[in-house]
């Protein structure tokens, strides 16, 4: 009998091994009915006696009168647990107090739920966000930073991003004057200000596990295929302030009470700055969270009002240079007669280091009454002025009014009100500082959600060595990262074997089940992004689900359809940038992320928020089309895509569950999609469908083989270990296990994957026995005319 030790937070608990203590452990690679659900080791309802020592360690949680005053309610929260048997740590993970049993007011026992291996990090990472992982990143936003990022290959921890061109909702260059008298804005030049970073998948994973002291072990993650994977910026505005910490500098002030009257009854000119009693009084719906509004009896505004100068100051916290868009909304009502006149102006003054940096004047209204008769008017005008400010700069706005009453006039008056004096928006200028610590929208991106999406892309399996803090992550079966389906790399299950023939307890009942708990048509798809205008347009046009692949099981399975949906990523659309065709005589291919209706909201953050996409950054590439960046024609292109539809793209990663049509009218080839590269072996095993439940005489050494990567040999047949049920280190009885039989892939198995080659290359959907099993296909490409034009 093994000596057993149980520790909570490194404090040993009392156990009674002679009382039939029900300590058993389960191991599970994944849910046999739904392989998207990755499992781990666990011990549920682990019961220990309520000795004085155990009461102390568990804070006597049977007693409701005793409160847990630790900072994070540690005693009733998730705690570290280890189980040692025969000198080996056979279980490491997390324990959650569940139940206390009492009799006659005295505690009898405590019950815990324990979760080990993968759970050791899954639980710790459940609240981790992209913000937590990236907030340390800072850089200067300029042309040099952008161009240096184009050398990204996923190997530099200090540069976990790349600025690759993407077509967002606005123009490629919103300030470009194309000389056609159509106003500013064009797609003939790619502006620095349009660039946004795409985030490295590898480094997000690395940072996540590193944050809790774990290392990743993965041959797949070390490939260039994986290292160059990125997530385009889909998290709202980038340079502008919405959803960032810059918002703290926003404020709203306005005239207190009703309009302020100004009359001229003297017959002389009145021209001066006027006091409109502008305040940031919260009671009137105003705000100034950072005290950016200067106060004073004669200079500036605050809750007490007074003074002719409305002043905003760039107080701390500072984020380097910022472009601030000031907004002044002024309502006025006037009446003049017999040659009287009125003029209203807004005077703007930019102060830096106590000196005037810039001055601007906006003529708001200039009116004169006729020689005989009167004129009057009422209006609400909004004035916008942009300034590039440094820390501690001030922006002053003053309202200047002139009233002249002629000698014959009977009325010359004006009433004025400031409805808004506010910062409309902030923007990081070229040369400004980017700090990911400012991007609060990244707090919405949970690390575990992202990890699930990556697992769903590449059929990943996870196992953990919690003693050495190593998590193994590999595609479950052999896979290819090129289009040669015979050039396979080792997956989670290796060709190494463990012969358990002699371990099998044939005296116990065992049974074979033929797996058929699935629909016959198993459809792999991405999440649908209803905010992606180009995606919606193409899917509605062809009435299909883009980037979707399907595997058809044999007729043993029920005639139905079941979806495997990626839990994080959505399809990525592309288009050919015809405006750049003339540079090398062919248009480059560009990722496009545009809302369905660019004018559907005034919120820049909402317009630029999409479900996450997955892309591959190939680097600076020649021969795929040139482009114009910052006014200069370039023949090398920083090429990012989910699918490279250019000639030769079949040799690049195809980040689509479907196989894809590569090339042009001069010749097409078929690119191999995610389903065929990573999932075929799993699906073939499911299609064969032999699941074995039997008993083995296992030891602690078998259990501490944390990864269980070897195939199990039983009577010269190969099996994969899925589950160990109820291993008891205090009991020498055999343990129930569940295995599935490994089955080789044949050429015919690839023919069970759709869309078929005919559908992809020839637009012909094939039928089988009068039943349509094939899928209609279309590329992840939209037309330029499918992209809504900004207004």
């Amino acid at each position: 009998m093994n000596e057993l030790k149980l520790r909570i937070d490194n404090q040993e608990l009392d156990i009674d091994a002679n009382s039939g203590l029900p300590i058993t452990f389960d191991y599970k690679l994944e849910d046999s009915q739904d392989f998207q659900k990755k499992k781990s080791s666990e011990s549920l309802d682990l019961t220990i006696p309520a000795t004085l020592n155990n009461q102390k360690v568990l804070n006597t949680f049977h007693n409701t009168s005793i409160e847990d005053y630790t900072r994070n309610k540690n005693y009733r929260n998730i705690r570290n647990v280890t189980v040692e048997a025969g000198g080996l740590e056979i279980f490491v993970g997390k324990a959650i107090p569940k139940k206390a049993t009492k009799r006659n007011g005295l505690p009898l026992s405590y019950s815990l739920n324990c979760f080990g291996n993968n759970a050791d990090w899954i639980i710790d990472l459940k609240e981790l966000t992209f913000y937590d992982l990236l907030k340390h990143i800072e850089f200067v936003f300029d042309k040099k930073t952008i161009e240096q990022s184009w050398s990204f290959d996923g190997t530099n921890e200090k540069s976990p991003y790349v600025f690759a061109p993407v077509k967002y909702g606005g123009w490629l260059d919103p300030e470009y004057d194309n000389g056609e008298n159509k106003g500013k804005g064009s797609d003939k030049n790619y502006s620095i200000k349009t660039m946004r970073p795409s985030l490295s998948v590898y480094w997000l994973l690395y940072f996540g596990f590193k944050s809790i002291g774990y290392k990743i072990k993965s041959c797949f993650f070390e490939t260039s295929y994986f290292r160059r994977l990125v997530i385009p910026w889909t998290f709202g505005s980038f340079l502008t302030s919405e959803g960032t910490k810059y918002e703290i500098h926003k404020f709203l002030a306005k005239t207190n009470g009703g309009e302020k009257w100004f009359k001229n009854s003297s017959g002389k000119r009145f021209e001066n700055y006027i006091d409109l009693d502008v305040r940031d009084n919260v009671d009137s719906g105003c705000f100034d969270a950072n005290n950016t509004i200067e106060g004073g009896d004669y200079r500036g505004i605050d809750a007490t009002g007074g003074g002719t100068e409305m002043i905003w100051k760039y107080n701390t916290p500072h984020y380097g240079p910022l472009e601030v868009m000031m907004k002044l909304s002024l309502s006025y009502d006037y009446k003049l007669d017999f040659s009287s006149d009125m003029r209203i102006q807004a005077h703007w003054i930019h102060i830096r280091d106590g000196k005037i940096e810039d001055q601007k004047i906006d003529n708001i209204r200039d009116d004169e009454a006729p020689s005989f008769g009167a004129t009057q008017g009422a209006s609400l005008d909004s004035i916008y002025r942009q300034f590039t400010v440094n820390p501690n700069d001030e922006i002053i706005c003053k309202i200047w009014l002139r009233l002249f009453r002629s000698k014959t006039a009977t009325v010359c008056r004006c009433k004025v009100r400031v409805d808004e004096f506010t910062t409309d928006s902030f923007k990081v200028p070229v040369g400004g500082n980017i700090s990911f610590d400012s991007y609060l929208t990244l707090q919405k991106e949970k690390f575990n959600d992202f990890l699930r999406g990556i697992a769903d892309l590449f059929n990943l399996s996870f196992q953990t060595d919690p003693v050495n803090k190593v998590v193994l992550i590999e595609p479950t079966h052999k896979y290819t990262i090129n289009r040669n389906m015979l050039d396979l790399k080792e997956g989670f299950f290796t060709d190494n074997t463990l012969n358990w023939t002699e371990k099998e307890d044939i005296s116990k009942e065992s049974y074979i089940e033929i797996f058929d708990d699935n629909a016959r048509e198993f459809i792999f798809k991405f999440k649908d992004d209803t905010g992606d205008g180009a995606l919606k347009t193409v899917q509605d046009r062809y009435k299909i689900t883009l980037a979707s692949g399907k595997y058809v099981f044999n007729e043993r399975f029920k005639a139905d359809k079941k979806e495997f949906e990626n839990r994080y990523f959505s399809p990525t659309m592309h288009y050919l940038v015809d405006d750049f065709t003339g540079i090398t005589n062919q248009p480059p291919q560009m990722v496009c992320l545009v809302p369905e209706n660019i004018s559907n909201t005034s919120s820049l953050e909402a317009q630029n928020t999409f479900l996450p996409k997955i892309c591959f950054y190939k680097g600076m590439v020649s021969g795929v089309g040139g482009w114009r960046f910052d006014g200069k024609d370039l023949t090398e292109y920083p090429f990012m895509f989910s699918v490279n539809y250019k000639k030769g793209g079949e040799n690049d990663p195809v980040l689509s569950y479907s196989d894809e049509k590569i090339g042009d009218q001069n010749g097409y080839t078929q690119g191999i999609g995610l389903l065929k590269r990573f999932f075929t072996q799993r699906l073939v095993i499911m299609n064969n469908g032999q699941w074995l439940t039997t008993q083995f005489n296992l030891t602690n050494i078998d259990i501490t083989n944390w990864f269980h990567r070897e195939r199990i040999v039983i009577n010269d047949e190969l099996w994969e270990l899925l589950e160990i049920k109820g291993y008891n280190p205090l009991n020498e009885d055999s343990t129930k296990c569940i295995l599935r039989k490994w089955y080789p892939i044949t050429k015919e198995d690839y023919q069970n994957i759709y869309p078929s080659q005919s559908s992809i290359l020839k637009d012909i959907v094939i039928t089988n026995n009068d039943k349509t099993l094939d899928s209609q296909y279309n590329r992840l490409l939209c037309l330029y005319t499918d992209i809504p034009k900004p207004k």
Side-chain angles (χ1 to χ4, degrees):
M1 189 70 68
N2 288 325
E3 180 186 3
L4 193 70
K5 293 182 179 180
L6 175 65
R7 295 184 180 90
I8 297 288
D9 291 337
N10 213 30
Q11 301 176 74
E12 189 168 346
L13 295 169
D14 297 329
I15 58 176
D16 184 2
N18 296 320
S19 65
L21 177 70
I23 280 193
T24 59
F25 300 97
D26 295 338
Y27 161 84
K28 205 170 188 179
L29 176 67
E30 61 193 28
D31 191 306
S32 59
Q33 308 303 317
D34 183 354
F35 60 82
Q36 282 183 293
K37 297 178 181 178
K38 304 303 177 181
K39 296 294 183 177
S40 187
S41 300
E42 62 185 18
S43 180
L44 304 181
D45 296 321
L46 191 156
T47 303
I48 59 174
T51 63
L52 290 177
N53 178 61
N54 292 351
Q55 291 182 50
K56 178 182 177 182
V57 175
L58 296 172
N59 200 37
T60 59
F61 77 86
H62 67 274
N63 189 339
T64 57
S65 299
I66 296 178
E67 295 294 334
D68 182 356
Y69 289 110
T70 57
R71 183 175 181 181
N72 296 316
K73 302 291 184 184
N74 293 333
Y75 286 107
R76 297 184 185 180
N77 213 326
I78 300 168
R79 305 180 66 179
N80 295 318
V81 62
T82 60
V83 179
E84 183 181 305
L88 292 175
E89 284 185 322
I90 64 170
F91 187 93
V92 179
K94 305 297 181 183
I96 302 174
K98 180 183 178 185
K99 183 174 65 175
T101 303
K102 297 191 294 185
R103 182 186 298 146
N104 296 324
L106 298 175
L108 294 177
S109 63
Y110 295 116
S111 179
L112 310 171
N113 280 347
C114 300
F115 303 91
N117 297 82
N118 293 343
D120 192 50
W121 52 264
I122 290 175
I123 292 173
D124 282 345
L125 293 176
K126 66 178 182 178
E127 299 300 328
L128 192 72
T129 68
F130 280 11
Y131 177 81
D132 301 317
L133 304 178
L134 301 173
K135 62 184 179 181
H136 67 282
I137 296 175
E138 295 181 349
F139 53 81
V140 176
F141 181 72
D142 59 11
K143 189 174 182 179
K144 180 180 178 181
T145 299
I146 291 170
E147 292 179 338
Q148 285 180 340
S149 80
W150 293 342
S151 63
F152 170 88
D153 62 3
T155 62
N156 187 350
E157 179 180 350
K158 295 182 179 179
S159 300
Y161 54 82
V162 59
F163 284 90
V166 173
K167 169 67 173 175
Y168 288 99
W171 297 109
L172 295 182
D173 187 348
E175 299 176 0
Y176 187 80
D177 189 346
N178 56 24
E180 298 174 358
N181 297 319
K182 295 181 180 180
K184 290 186 176 181
S186 173
D187 284 337
K188 295 182 178 180
N189 179 63
Y190 202 106
S191 169
I192 293 175
K193 295 181 179 181
T194 307
M195 283 286 186
R196 301 172 197 177
S198 296
L199 306 179
S200 167
V201 168
Y202 176 89
W203 290 111
L204 282 169
L205 292 167
Y206 175 88
F207 293 149
F209 283 100
K210 182 181 178 182
S211 70
I212 57 168
Y214 265 94
K215 294 181 180 179
I216 299 173
K217 179 180 180 180
S218 175
C219 292
F220 176 53
F221 284 9
E222 295 302 322
T223 63
S224 179
Y225 178 107
F226 193 87
R227 286 273 194 161
R228 288 180 172 272
L229 295 178
V230 292
I231 304 175
W233 189 268
T234 59
F235 314 109
S237 301
F238 179 61
L239 295 180
T240 52
S241 60
E242 287 187 292
T244 71
K245 286 186 176 180
Y246 310 146
E247 296 274 276
I248 195 173
H249 292 299
K250 297 191 75 172
F251 74 95
L252 172 63
K254 61 185 178 183
T255 295
N256 184 50
E259 299 90 343
K260 307 303 173 186
W261 278 96
F262 300 90
K263 299 179 182 180
N264 189 340
S265 57
S266 66
K268 298 179 181 179
R269 289 185 183 274
F270 168 83
E271 31 187 347
N272 210 336
Y273 295 112
I274 57 177
D275 182 352
L276 295 177
D277 193 19
V278 178
R279 308 186 187 188
D280 60 354
N281 194 328
V282 175
D283 294 337
S284 60
C286 299
F287 62 91
D288 183 19
N290 197 39
N291 295 317
T292 57
I293 298 298
E294 288 286 336
D297 294 333
Y298 61 93
R299 183 176 185 273
I301 52 178
D302 59 15
T304 62
T308 61
E309 295 182 330
M310 298 175 282
I311 306 172
W312 172 81
K313 184 177 181 181
Y314 184 8
N315 282 339
T316 55
H318 295 143
Y319 300 101
L322 288 177
E323 290 179 0
V324 56
M325 182 69 75
M326 305 296 296
K327 179 182 180 183
L328 174 70
S329 293
L330 197 70
S331 59
Y332 53 92
D333 188 346
Y334 64 95
K335 186 172 183 179
L336 313 167
D337 65 2
F338 297 104
S339 300
S340 298
D341 66 61
M342 180 273 292
R343 176 180 289 180
I344 301 178
Q345 292 179 336
H347 290 198
W348 301 88
I349 306 171
H350 180 187
I351 302 293
R352 177 172 294 166
D353 299 327
K355 300 178 182 180
I356 295 177
E357 177 77 9
D358 191 16
Q359 296 187 74
K360 302 177 187 296
I361 295 177
D362 288 307
N363 284 310
I364 298 173
R365 192 76 182 192
D366 191 353
D367 209 349
E368 181 179 356
S371 300
F372 296 94
T375 184
Q376 61 184 359
S379 183
L380 170 62
D381 290 337
S382 292
I383 308 298
Y384 294 87
R385 277 292 181 179
Q386 181 172 293
F387 301 89
T388 299
V389 294
N390 289 340
N392 300 313
D393 282 8
E394 293 180 340
I395 304 298
I396 302 172
C397 182
K398 301 191 288 186
I399 306 302
W400 183 85
L401 174 66
R402 184 181 77 183
L403 286 174
F404 170 70
R405 181 176 179 268
S406 68
K407 294 181 180 180
T408 58
T410 59
V411 61
C412 181
R413 53 94 172 154
C414 182
K415 55 183 178 179
V416 188
R417 172 185 173 86
V418 173
D419 288 298
E420 283 185 302
F421 176 55
T422 185
T423 44
D424 182 69
S425 65
F426 297 92
K427 189 173 184 178
V428 177
V430 174
N433 300 329
I434 294 294
S435 171
F436 276 62
D437 182 59
S438 301
Y439 292 97
L440 301 180
T441 56
L442 294 174
Q443 294 175 346
K444 301 175 184 177
E445 303 299 319
K446 293 293 184 70
F447 178 83
N448 279 349
D449 292 338
F450 156 69
L451 184 60
R452 292 184 185 101
I454 295 295
D456 292 344
L457 287 173
F458 305 113
N459 185 31
L460 298 182
S461 284
F462 304 77
Q463 268 311 325
T464 302
D465 175 355
V467 175
N468 295 302
K469 296 294 182 180
V470 174
V471 56
L472 172 75
I473 309 176
E474 297 285 4
T476 305
H477 298 100
K478 287 186 176 181
Y479 61 94
T480 178
I481 56 175
N482 56 49
R483 67 189 310 261
N484 183 357
M485 299 304 293
L486 297 178
D487 182 16
L488 300 179
K489 297 186 177 296
E490 189 172 73
F492 179 87
F493 286 108
T494 71
D495 288 334
N496 296 331
T497 59
L498 292 174
N499 195 323
W500 281 12
T501 303
E502 298 301 321
K503 285 180 177 286
E504 187 176 14
D505 186 353
I506 59 176
S507 68
K508 298 290 180 63
E509 184 179 88
S510 65
Y511 52 90
I512 289 285
E513 291 181 278
I514 303 300
F515 177 79
D516 61 0
D517 192 14
N518 209 318
R520 188 178 182 208
E521 298 183 44
F522 198 17
I523 299 168
F524 291 74
K525 57 171 292 206
F526 289 89
K527 295 186 79 167
D528 192 34
D529 189 351
T530 57
D532 189 328
L535 174 67
K536 185 177 186 303
T537 296
V538 176
Q539 289 194 148
D540 288 350
R541 177 183 297 146
Y542 296 104
K543 296 180 174 56
I544 61 172
T545 302
L546 293 179
S548 174
K550 178 171 65 176
Y551 183 86
V552 177
F553 292 105
N554 62 43
E555 295 182 352
R556 178 178 83 251
F557 293 80
K558 55 187 175 183
D560 203 349
K561 296 181 181 180
K562 182 178 179 180
E563 289 186 347
F564 172 101
E565 182 178 82
N566 191 289
R567 290 169 287 179
Y568 189 69
F569 292 103
S570 59
T572 307
M573 294 301 295
H574 315 74
Y575 83 113
L576 298 179
V577 192
D578 291 330
D579 282 317
F580 293 153
T581 301
I583 297 171
T584 64
N585 294 322
Q586 64 169 311
Q589 176 187 307
M590 189 180 292
V591 169
C592 61
L593 297 171
V594 294
E596 182 180 358
N597 183 352
I598 290 175
S599 303
N600 65 352
T601 174
S602 61
S603 169
L604 291 173
E605 182 183 351
Q607 285 184 16
N608 293 287
T609 302
F610 301 87
L611 292 183
K613 318 288 182 178
I614 186 70
C615 288
F616 177 84
Y617 177 70
K618 189 170 182 177
M620 294 296 287
V621 181
S622 299
V624 295
W627 66 309
R628 183 174 295 111
F629 174 60
D630 193 33
K632 182 179 179 180
D633 289 354
L634 301 174
T635 56
E636 283 193 319
Y637 180 61
F639 197 10
M640 182 177 73
F641 51 82
S642 278
V643 181
N644 175 12
Y645 290 106
K646 295 286 185 176
K647 184 178 179 180
E650 67 275 9
N651 298 313
D652 292 322
V654 176
L655 301 176
S656 164
Y657 288 114
S658 169
D659 288 359
E660 293 283 344
K661 183 177 183 178
I662 308 298
D664 53 30
Q665 62 271 16
N666 296 318
Y668 292 107
T669 55
Q670 188 167 337
I672 308 302
L674 297 171
L675 194 165
K676 192 174 289 183
R677 289 183 191 234
F678 294 96
F679 290 87
T680 304
Q681 178 67 80
R682 172 187 291 281
L683 297 168
V684 168
I685 290 173
M686 292 169 64
N687 200 20
N688 180 58
Q690 296 182 68
W691 261 236
L692 170 65
T693 301
T694 188
Q695 306 262 145
F696 292 100
N697 293 305
L698 300 181
T699 67
N700 292 339
I701 296 296
D702 295 319
I703 297 301
T704 56
N705 173 17
W706 301 110
F707 299 144
H708 300 288
R709 299 184 69 182
E710 302 85 359
R711 289 197 177 90
I712 305 300
V713 176
I714 308 172
N715 297 321
D716 296 326
E717 294 178 338
L718 292 176
W719 301 82
E720 295 176 349
L721 179 65
L722 287 183
E723 191 170 350
I724 299 172
K725 303 187 72 172
Y727 174 72
N728 188 335
L730 301 178
N731 192 324
E732 296 181 355
D733 199 5
S734 57
T735 303
K736 181 182 290 187
C737 296
I738 298 177
L739 308 93
R740 62 189 175 202
K741 189 172 183 180
W742 180 83
Y743 203 77
I745 302 173
T746 65
K747 182 178 179 180
E748 288 73 23
D749 289 314
Y750 289 121
Q751 297 175 358
N752 292 332
I753 296 175
Y754 299 95
S756 68
Q757 187 177 70
S758 294
S759 178
I760 293 170
L761 298 183
K762 301 178 182 178
D763 298 323
I764 300 173
V765 177
I766 63 172
T767 59
N768 186 351
N769 297 329
D770 297 326
K771 294 181 180 179
T772 302
L773 296 175
D774 206 350
S775 303
Q776 185 179 343
Y777 167 81
N778 198 79
R779 290 173 160 189
L780 288 161
L781 274 175
C782 68
L783 303 173
Y784 181 66
T785 53
D786 292 330
I787 301 174
K789 297 295 184 293
K791 294 183 179 180

